[in-house]
């Protein structure tokens, strides 16, 4: 049975991006259901909802389906404001946003992915390796990962040093000097936490606790706070694919349709057939549908679930996504 707030999270446990959302939900104590997905395509449950977007996680609230953790976390802050953990004043909001940009778009996670040790068992699975190559557009062969690791580690050491010598240098417990971890901590910590739990990823001679004591103390505090939050949070309900699909397609929309921003430089019109897709990773998979809304922050498309044939609204952020009109036959309009 899905929770009363209609939140369903599609993810798999190894995904560092999914952890961003899982941690947020735990720290907020928000009730939700999960639908566990394969680590590699195809993901038939997501496909059944009419969604082509291939990245994990995806979060639905009713028949609104949110893609990309940047948008997911923003929507959770907006739709469940009581007890929100995001920054409130302009200076803190700026820092929170800069940390999000630094870790996602600024190269920190890209280098973290390059630091995966060649001995990782999943790299012995040809299907998973091929899937990663489709996802990121680069080789995931063991020999290529081994060649790229030294450069990645050099960049990561600089990132560790930045945290050690600036934001954490004054001994603060949390990034925004809050009493408990905030969204800013999630935005900053996730690639460092992920690497610290991956055996063989960080050579002790370069990344030992003596090298970055404040960073590791922060990671330890975060893990303890997360454990305490999970112990008091509502139990997560696990839904099988057909259960999740049935719940979503029988639900109402969580948001009104919205409008298209008239001054938007793309010049698109409400109801127009469009396609939208990420351009940084997962770019071989595009969602198509009628344009429901277009703002400075997001694009919303109306698509149809393959099971139940109900309309769903697919939400993408604007950052690092491309949107263009398509003809009725599905061809892009040049």
């Amino acid at each position: 049975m899905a929770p009363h707030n209609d939140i369903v999270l599609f993810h798999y446990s190894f995904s560092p991006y999914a952890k961003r959302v899982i941690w947020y939900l735990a720290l907020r104590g928000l009730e939700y259901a999960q639908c566990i997905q394969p680590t590699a395509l195809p993901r038939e449950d997501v496909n059944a909802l009419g969604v082509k977007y291939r990245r994990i996680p995806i979060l639905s609230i009713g028949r609104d389906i949110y893609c990309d953790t940047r948008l997911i976390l923003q929507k959770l802050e907006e739709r469940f404001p009581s007890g929100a953990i995001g920054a409130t004043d302009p200076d803190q909001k700026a820092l929170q946003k800069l940390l999000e940009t630094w870790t996602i778009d600024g190269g920190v996670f890209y280098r973290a992915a390059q630091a995966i040790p060649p001995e990782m068992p999943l790299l012995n699975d040809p299907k998973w390796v091929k899937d990663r190559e489709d996802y990121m557009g680069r080789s995931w062969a063991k020999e290529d990962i081994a060649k790229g690791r030294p450069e990645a580690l050099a960049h990561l050491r600089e990132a560790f040093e930045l945290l050690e010598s600036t934001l954490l240098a004054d001994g603060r417990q949390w990034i925004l000097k809050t009493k408990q971890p905030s969204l800013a901590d999630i935005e900053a910590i996730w690639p460092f936490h992920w690497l610290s739990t991956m055996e063989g990823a960080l050579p002790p001679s370069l990344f030992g606790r003596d090298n970055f004591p404040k960073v590791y103390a922060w990671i330890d505090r975060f893990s303890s706070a997360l454990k305490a939050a999970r112990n008091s949070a509502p139990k997560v309900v696990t839904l099988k694919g057909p259960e999740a699909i049935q719940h979503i397609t029988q639900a109402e929309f969580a948001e009104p349709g919205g409008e298209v921003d008239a001054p938007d430089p793309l010049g698109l019109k409400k109801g127009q057939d469009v396609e939208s897709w990420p351009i940084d990773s997962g770019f071989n998979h595009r969602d198509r549908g009628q344009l429901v809304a277009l703002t400075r922050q997001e694009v919303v498309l109306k698509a149809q679930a393959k099971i139940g044939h109900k309309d769903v609204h697919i939400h993408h952020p604007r950052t690092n996504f491309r949107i263009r009109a398509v003809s009725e036959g599905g061809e892009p309009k040049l």
Side-chain angles (χ1 to χ4, degrees):
M1 181 176 179
H4 296 299
N5 60 20
D6 275 344
I7 297 174
V8 180
L9 180 66
F10 294 79
H11 74 100
Y12 56 85
S13 61
F14 183 69
S15 168
Y17 278 99
K19 284 180 169 57
R20 287 163 45 82
V21 179
I22 292 169
W23 292 344
Y24 177 90
L25 292 166
L27 291 172
R28 288 287 312 274
L30 290 175
E31 186 181 10
Y32 72 99
Q34 64 180 359
C35 184
I36 303 301
Q37 297 301 294
T39 59
L41 296 181
R43 299 191 179 107
E44 299 297 347
D45 302 330
V46 175
N47 187 50
L49 290 170
V51 178
K52 300 300 183 184
Y53 177 86
R54 65 141 298 156
R55 302 195 303 203
I56 288 292
I58 293 171
L59 183 138
S60 66
I61 305 177
R63 279 193 279 150
D64 284 274
I65 300 170
Y66 302 99
C67 305
D68 194 289
T69 58
R70 288 167 288 203
L71 183 61
I72 290 171
L73 293 173
Q74 174 191 326
K75 290 292 183 176
L76 289 171
E77 284 277 293
E78 293 172 355
R79 296 201 57 78
F80 303 95
S82 178
I85 59 174
T88 54
D89 70 57
D91 287 348
Q92 290 184 343
K93 286 182 178 180
L95 178 56
Q96 178 179 289
K97 186 64 178 180
L98 288 170
L99 288 169
E100 172 203 285
T101 302
W102 180 53
T103 54
I104 296 177
D105 301 316
V108 175
F109 179 70
Y110 183 82
R111 295 300 186 177
Q114 287 183 317
I116 289 175
E119 300 79 21
M120 190 176 74
L122 275 173
L123 291 173
N124 295 319
D125 181 350
K127 180 181 177 181
W128 189 82
V129 169
K130 183 179 180 180
D131 182 80
R132 291 298 91 183
E133 291 175 340
D134 171 76
Y135 169 60
M136 298 194 75
R138 65 173 175 85
S139 172
W140 274 67
K142 286 185 179 183
E143 57 271 21
D144 292 322
I145 288 177
K147 288 177 184 177
R149 258 178 63 83
E151 183 178 288
L153 294 173
H155 282 266
L156 289 169
R157 187 162 63 157
E158 182 182 18
F160 269 78
E161 180 58 35
L162 177 63
L163 291 172
E164 185 78 18
S165 62
T166 58
L167 286 175
L168 300 175
D170 60 5
R172 70 184 69 187
Q173 296 290 293
W174 307 112
I175 293 295
L176 299 182
K177 298 183 178 179
T178 47
K179 293 182 180 180
Q180 298 294 331
S182 71
L183 179 55
D185 290 282
I186 295 175
E187 299 291 11
I189 205 169
W190 65 283
F192 302 94
H193 188 288
W194 183 60
L195 287 169
S196 72
T197 60
M198 188 186 306
E199 186 177 355
L202 299 174
S205 61
L206 297 175
F207 295 92
R209 286 181 172 267
D210 291 340
N211 301 81
F212 304 107
K214 291 182 173 64
V215 173
Y216 282 104
W218 174 52
I219 292 173
D220 290 343
R221 284 193 300 275
F222 186 85
S223 296
S224 296
L226 191 61
K227 182 178 179 180
R230 282 172 167 160
N231 287 339
S232 60
K235 183 179 179 181
V236 179
V237 177
T238 299
L239 300 177
K240 294 182 179 179
E243 295 174 314
I245 295 162
Q246 182 180 28
H247 173 78
I248 293 166
T249 55
Q250 291 181 355
E252 300 297 325
F253 287 110
E255 295 190 39
E259 297 298 330
V260 172
D261 183 19
D264 191 275
L266 295 182
L268 299 171
K269 305 296 182 184
K270 189 177 179 71
Q272 191 171 1
D273 290 329
V274 299
E275 60 181 3
S276 174
W277 72 99
I279 57 174
D280 50 355
S281 64
F283 33 71
N284 293 324
H285 304 263
R286 305 179 181 188
D287 282 304
R288 290 186 175 182
Q290 290 184 346
L291 185 61
V292 173
L294 185 68
T295 70
R296 283 176 284 185
Q297 289 78 37
E298 69 173 327
V299 57
V300 186
L301 311 181
K302 181 175 75 173
Q304 191 175 80
K306 293 183 178 180
I307 296 179
H309 305 291
K310 290 286 190 73
D311 288 341
V312 296
H313 287 173
I314 302 171
H315 298 245
H316 291 172
R318 295 297 297 269
T319 302
N320 282 335
F321 276 69
R322 183 164 295 152
I323 310 155
R324 68 181 179 188
V326 295
S327 66
E328 290 185 4
E331 293 300 320
K333 288 184 178 179
L334 302 178

